[in-house]
Amino acid sequence: MNIALLLEMAADAASDRTALVCDGKRWTYAELLAAARGAYELIVDSGASHVALLDESSEASVIALFGAALAGVPYCPLNYRLADADLAGLLGRIAPALIVGDAARVARLVPDQGHVVYPRAEFTLAAQEAVASDGADYDTGEGVAIQLFTSGTTAAPKAAILRHSNLVSYILGTVEFASAEDSDAALVSVPPYHIAGIAALISSIYAQRRIVLLPAFAPDAWLKLVDAERATNAFVVPTMLSRIIHALDKGVHADIGSLRSIAYGGGKMPLELIHRALDLFPDTGFTNAYGLTETSSTVALLGPDEHRAAHGASDPKVRARLASVGKPLPTIELEIRGESGEVLPHGQPGEIYVRGDQVSGEYREKSALDAAGWFPTRDAGYLDEDGYLFLSGRADDVIVRGGENISPGEIEDVLLTHPAIADVAAVAIPSAEWGEAVGVAAVLRGGCDQPADDDLKELIRARLRSSRVPDRILFVPSLPYNEMGKLLRREVKLILAD
Amino acid sequence: MKPGSRLKSSACDTEVVVIRCGSGTIQCGGAAMSESGADAADLSPDFAGGSVMGKRYVDAAGTTELLCVKPGKGSLALDGTVLALKEAKPLPASD
């Protein structure tokens, strides 16, 4: 079943209802569907093998998504923040594409790859004006809906593919059709090339929840848009939440009393920050959503009631759950496995495996699913005795020192308890003696004196054990993060290798 | 008939998309559904409970699942047995 049918259903049931608000312009479901059908004509005429977006979010990204779906051509939103050489490489992998967005950049980088390029406004206009052909042969949705290049924090970007069937299972399993109230509005401010941004669009359309797009996140603009559109739901990554709270602290004025629900994900949420947010927004429900591109977004979540219970708990076990990503969705199977593939009991850390209809686990080159359909996420974690999932970093980030597996998270958590340390990353560094050893890059908290290496080593030795003690500690002005707030560990390794 | 097929009722306005299917005849309002919806049939009073837009319908064995994309007066059935409503498990708007 084609994901475009979800938009057709919304347009059938509520043609005149506002589907989307972007830059002050409002689109009804009927208008969006008509433009998507126009985009289908443009895409079919172009002969493109992919439809790419090289732009911020806008109505054009929504029209391109569903136009590509109708045409049966993968939609491939690209990270416009990539360096020229990296972007040129990705464009080469999807040629010839119909590209919506930065025409000048495409012409400069890859003039000879046969792409058809429309700047944003021209694409939207052309899609609105295209005349639907008689007997348009819309795709039945048996193939690939979306191709996303993974962010590549540990290696070169992989082309993850999501089939219509994966996305449709996710939506039908988790969203009730037309369940949103007239007043509901979801503020979407994550970049268009992030799975959470795409899932938010499709979920909201199926629920008939008005989508309010913020093309480029800035905390002041976000707060003003919540106020102006009376947004009821929002998804943020942790760095966005931190910047929103900072803006409120600075006195930015906005009435955000309409916000019933804030969901977050895409990176590790600092405990201090979520406690602060729960205090600042006492009437807002917080949801922590854990998922990957390869799983069509969310596979586990910690809901609003669980947040409040943990926030107010004196029982350390319940309080600790604020650092978990909650429980697997009812439609998902989840296991923690050891190195030889054995399923581990509660409490024991290992690699997270998931299975379910929404899980694609598939790359352009090959599927990562095992014979029984399980997807190895490469995320490390454990389940507590009540089934709450705790993440402990990427399996690839584990430091193997003399045959002993060390999770960077345990070292980072201890160092973060030191009052002079504002941020820290532990990574593997080469060691002649151990193969790998622990290297630490730390950021000094403003106004503090730099602690002696020996003091920090002693802190680790006392709290963990001697194998966790870093061989090298380097103080740096800041750690490298991508724009989604993900720590770029391979860059930390390079810094420490110097 | 396969997953993704769109079927029309011969007895009412109902249309469904096949999410998964096994063997057996998919019916609505007491008559077989088809891609054309031709061969107009009368709505059987035994199968007149109606279909609801956006709801999924499954058989007891879980082999056949339909999504109603246009509502109508007929009840959806497989080989004469009315299909049951399958509820989504709504998330607290996680994305």
Side-chain angles (χ1 to χ4, degrees):
Chain A
M1 177 180 147
N2 193 308
I3 55 167
L5 186 56
L6 305 173
L7 173 60
E8 290 173 1
M9 289 170 69
D12 269 354
S15 60
D16 293 335
R17 190 156 155 172
T18 302
L20 177 71
V21 183
C22 183
D23 290 330
K25 180 156 172 37
R26 309 177 96 76
W27 294 75
T28 65
Y29 289 102
E31 286 167 336
L32 264 193
L33 177 61
R37 287 178 173 164
Y40 158 90
E41 303 290 338
L42 305 179
I43 295 161
V44 169
D45 286 348
S46 75
S49 65
H50 295 76
V51 173
L53 182 79
L54 187 60
D55 196 11
E56 297 169 342
S57 294
S58 73
E59 66 282 345
S61 56
V62 183
I63 294 166
L65 164 67
F66 288 106
L70 288 169
V73 173
Y75 172 66
C76 183
L78 297 167
N79 182 350
Y80 47 81
R81 290 188 177 88
L82 285 176
D84 282 351
D86 297 333
L87 180 64
L90 298 189
L91 286 168
R93 288 164 69 177
I94 58 169
L98 185 151
I99 303 175
V100 179
D102 194 341
R105 201 168 174 210
V106 175
R108 181 166 58 79
L109 290 181
V110 288
D112 50 3
Q113 288 181 347
H115 300 299
V116 175
V117 191
Y118 286 90
R120 180 198 299 184
E122 285 177 29
F123 174 75
T124 302
L125 191 64
Q128 284 179 288
E129 290 182 344
V131 179
S133 50
D134 284 340
D137 187 17
Y138 296 135
D139 186 74
T140 53
E142 285 165 67
V144 176
I146 287 168
Q147 177 174 325
L148 286 174
F149 289 102
T150 58
S151 54
T153 51
T154 50
K158 284 184 285 191
I161 58 178
L162 293 173
R163 295 178 177 276
H164 288 277
S165 57
N166 301 131
L167 290 159
V168 166
S169 309
Y170 175 65
I171 299 297
L172 296 184
T174 60
V175 183
E176 194 68 50
F177 178 70
S179 55
E181 301 292 327
D182 263 344
S183 54
D184 284 3
L187 176 49
V188 179
S189 55
V190 288
Y193 50 82
H194 193 276
I195 182 60
I198 294 170
L201 296 179
I202 306 176
S203 298
S204 294
I205 283 171
Y206 197 60
Q208 288 170 24
R209 187 183 302 113
R210 180 163 42 97
I211 299 163
V212 179
L213 278 184
L214 178 59
F217 177 81
D220 295 27
W222 190 92
L223 287 163
K224 292 202 164 75
L225 201 50
V226 171
D227 190 342
E229 287 292 333
R230 311 305 302 149
T232 53
N233 302 63
F235 179 89
V236 293
V237 297
T239 44
M240 290 177 183
L241 186 60
S242 166
R243 292 176 64 196
I244 290 161
I245 290 177
H246 189 63
L248 289 170
D249 286 345
K250 277 193 314 185
V252 173
H253 181 77
D255 175 4
I256 54 169
S258 58
L259 260 186
R260 288 197 314 261
S261 157
I262 295 179
Y264 62 89
K268 189 174 180 181
M269 173 65 82
L271 262 184
E272 199 180 328
L273 179 61
I274 187 63
H275 276 297
R276 179 87 208 287
L278 286 159
D279 284 332
L280 268 178
F281 307 107
D283 301 321
T284 302
F286 283 85
T287 299
N288 184 0
Y290 163 65
L292 298 91
T293 301
E294 296 91 329
T295 62
S296 310
S297 198
T298 309
V299 291
L301 59 81
L302 187 76
D305 295 344
E306 293 161 312
H307 272 79
R308 292 291 163 196
H311 182 53
S314 48
D315 178 348
K317 192 180 78 180
V318 178
R319 198 168 170 82
R321 283 190 190 139
L322 209 47
S324 81
V325 293
K327 292 184 174 182
L329 305 189
T331 46
I332 283 286
E333 294 174 272
L334 187 147
E335 289 179 355
I336 307 293
R337 297 196 191 170
E339 273 177 27
S340 43
E342 77 282 16
V343 177
L344 298 174
H346 288 174
Q348 279 200 35
E351 184 175 351
I352 300 167
Y353 278 66
V354 293
R355 183 164 71 172
D357 288 341
Q358 75 182 65
V359 176
S360 120
E362 202 179 344
Y363 303 98
R364 182 55 78 184
E365 297 74 22
K366 67 179 173 80
S367 171
L369 299 184
D370 71 11
W374 288 91
F375 172 58
T377 62
R378 304 305 291 150
D379 276 341
Y382 67 92
L383 291 162
D384 76 4
E385 61 199 71
D386 296 312
Y388 287 85
L389 178 65
F390 289 75
L391 304 182
S392 47
R394 295 290 288 170
D396 305 293
D397 297 333
V398 168
I399 303 160
V400 186
R401 182 181 183 276
E404 188 176 356
N405 287 351
I406 301 171
S407 159
E410 55 179 328
I411 296 167
E412 291 160 2
D413 287 347
V414 170
L415 289 174
L416 281 173
T417 62
H418 194 289
I421 291 186
D423 198 5
V424 67
V427 296
I429 55 172
S431 161
E433 188 179 2
W434 300 103
E436 286 180 353
V438 178
V440 164
V443 179
L444 194 62
R445 194 177 291 282
C448 294
D449 291 330
Q450 183 173 321
D453 282 8
D454 283 346
D455 292 347
L456 297 175
K457 289 180 179 179
E458 187 47 41
L459 178 67
I460 300 282
R461 198 186 327 269
R463 295 275 288 279
L464 299 169
R465 63 185 104 153
S466 59
S467 61
R468 269 63 174 167
V469 173
D471 276 26
R472 179 158 193 224
I473 298 172
L474 185 69
F475 276 85
V476 293
S478 64
L479 293 176
Y481 287 94
N482 74 9
E483 69 287 352
M484 295 298 292
K486 270 192 187 159
L487 179 64
L488 299 170
R489 288 184 186 271
R490 63 192 155 123
E491 292 189 16
V492 177
K493 285 184 186 177
L494 292 178
I495 295 168
L496 280 163
D498 275 351
Chain B
M1 195 163 310
K2 59 186 183 191
S5 296
R6 191 166 177 147
L7 304 179
K8 295 179 179 173
S9 172
S10 308
C12 68
D13 295 331
T14 299
E15 289 184 28
V16 300
V17 169
V18 178
I19 305 289
R20 60 170 62 94
C21 59
S23 55
T25 304
I26 296 172
Q27 301 154 324
C28 179
M33 298 186 83
S34 65
E35 298 200 10
S36 65
D39 304 327
D42 289 333
L43 185 67
S44 157
D46 294 336
F47 295 93
S51 61
V52 180
M53 175 100 164
K55 294 291 183 194
R56 287 177 297 165
Y57 294 86
V58 289
D59 67 331
T63 54
T64 294
E65 181 173 336
L66 311 172
L67 173 69
C68 174
V69 297
K70 264 199 174 53
K73 290 181 178 160
S75 304
L76 293 161
L78 181 70
D79 289 335
T81 304
V82 173
L83 298 177
L85 206 60
K86 179 175 177 178
E87 297 290 347
K89 298 176 176 122
L91 301 184
S94 66
D95 46 38

